[in-house]
Amino acid sequence: MSKKEIPSRWIYDYFSPFEVHKHAIKGTLYYGNSDFQEIAVAETECFGRCLILDNEFQSAEFDEYVYHESLVQPALLLHPMPEKVAIIGGGEGAALREVLRHKSVKKAVMVDIDEKVVECSKKYLPTFHNGGFSDERTVLLFGDGREFLEESNELFDVIIMDITCPLEEGPSYKLFTKEFYELVKKKLSVQGVFAIQASTTSPIALNTYSILNRTLSSVFANVFPYAAYIPFFAINWGFNLATDSLDPTLLNRVEIDRRITERVKGELKFYDGTTHQAIFNLPKYVREALTLQTHINLDNSPLTEKFPGRNE
Ligand code: SAM
């Protein structure tokens, strides 16, 4: 793998042309281009190692568990007994790690478009995947997640979308549309659960989040928006959980803690019954934005963004 230096002590996470969060770095572990995106792995002063794709900050060593537990655990713990799980994207291997904690899981298929991101993660981000790529239950595939689902004959108990934001000219914007969500629904087993990362819930950039929630609601009977504060992003990050039959808001604190104790290997650091109550109760301004949104994201005019949450 080629290696160049990120040419500065500082890396900049642009929220918009007018707002930036900067991190000091100790050094660059990898910097290069794949067929799909620009890839950087840097060692930050505060958050440990981090992955950056097309200038979008993906996750960092010291708080990635907040993002990855939020994305994976509510969906897997809601399902009565998840055995077959698909992860679309997830290059760091950390969503895979969270899935593999579940004793019930017999098969975890991860499909990322970019083999180079996975190579970098294997080499530079060992705590993220924690050996998950070589777990005997893992099936690691390289290709477009939408094509994979179109061609697959399998049904999954849980499908997790851990793909990059729908950047203009990026590899992921076709995996946020109504037509894509209809395809996902066909690939879920009875009681199947679908979870997506869905951009920020910052009050000044709620467009993507509200459109994705509205789009999911046009396909699934029950859609549950939730969000968690990610220190590395310095911003609240939004997720959605979609099902046709189950309801995570009916699970009380005791029941979630019971399921974690029974079903999950190792110690979760973020998600438990109490955290569940916090993340599924969104502030008023987010709930209002979701109620007011009418736009459904379609294949013939898919939303793309330059900065998280801002697609206008
Ligand atoms: N934490 C993330 C964030 O903040 O957006 C997402 C993490 S993960 C690194 C995103 C992965 O999605 C990348 O490895 C990228 O290669 C993959 N990806 C993007 N488009 C894809 C597609 N169409 N099919 C499969 N994987 C895709």
Side-chain angles (χ1 to χ4, degrees), residues 156-274:
F156 296 95
D157 300 317
V158 179
I159 298 179
I160 309 268
M161 298 301 295
D162 189 19
I163 49 169
T164 41
C165 286
L167 291 182
E168 272 180 334
E169 295 167 20
S172 71
Y173 68 88
K174 291 182 184 146
L175 286 75
F176 291 91
T177 64
K178 180 179 183 193
E179 292 87 344
F180 176 70
Y181 295 152
E182 284 168 342
L183 170 65
V184 168
K185 187 167 157 157
K186 286 189 201 138
K187 303 296 171 176
L188 285 170
S189 57
V190 183
Q191 296 197 300
V193 182
F194 180 45
I196 69 167
Q197 78 86 354
S199 196
T200 177
T201 60
S202 162
I204 53 169
L206 266 166
N207 215 21
T208 298
Y209 189 62
S210 57
I211 289 174
L212 295 181
N213 177 269
R214 179 74 192 83
T215 304
L216 278 170
S217 302
S218 70
V219 175
F220 289 90
N222 306 325
V223 178
F224 302 92
Y226 62 106
Y229 180 76
I230 313 289
F232 179 59
F233 296 171
I235 206 165
N236 283 309
W237 204 253
F239 305 87
N240 279 283
L241 198 153
T243 79
D244 275 334
S245 55
L246 301 166
D247 184 342
T249 62
L250 298 179
L251 299 180
N252 67 25
R253 189 176 54 75
V254 175
E255 174 59 14
I256 289 173
D257 288 341
R258 188 189 65 74
R259 290 188 188 193
I260 291 173
T261 307
E262 264 180 23
R263 292 162 47 168
V264 176
K265 279 183 275 179
E267 192 75 18
L268 298 181
K269 288 193 273 189
F270 177 70
Y271 184 72
D272 67 1
T274 303

Side-chain angles (χ1 to χ4, degrees), residues 99-160:
V99 167
L100 293 171
R101 284 174 178 281
H102 283 256
K103 297 172 197 164
S104 63
V105 168
K106 293 186 174 147
K107 183 175 182 183
V109 182
M110 174 178 148
V111 187
D112 197 292
I113 203 165
D114 199 336
E115 191 164 0
K116 215 167 203 179
V117 173
V118 174
E119 265 179 53
C120 280
S121 303
K122 282 184 179 168
K123 188 162 179 189
Y124 301 114
L125 304 174
T127 62
F128 290 59
H129 56 83
N130 198 28
F133 292 124
S134 47
D135 191 291
E136 60 185 14
R137 296 168 293 167
T138 298
V139 178
L140 178 61
L141 303 172
F142 296 108
D144 174 66
R146 186 166 177 162
E147 284 174 18
F148 162 75
L149 284 180
E150 275 163 358
E151 286 158 20
S152 169
N153 300 319
E154 286 186 271
L155 293 182
F156 296 95
D157 300 317
V158 179
I159 298 179
I160 309 268

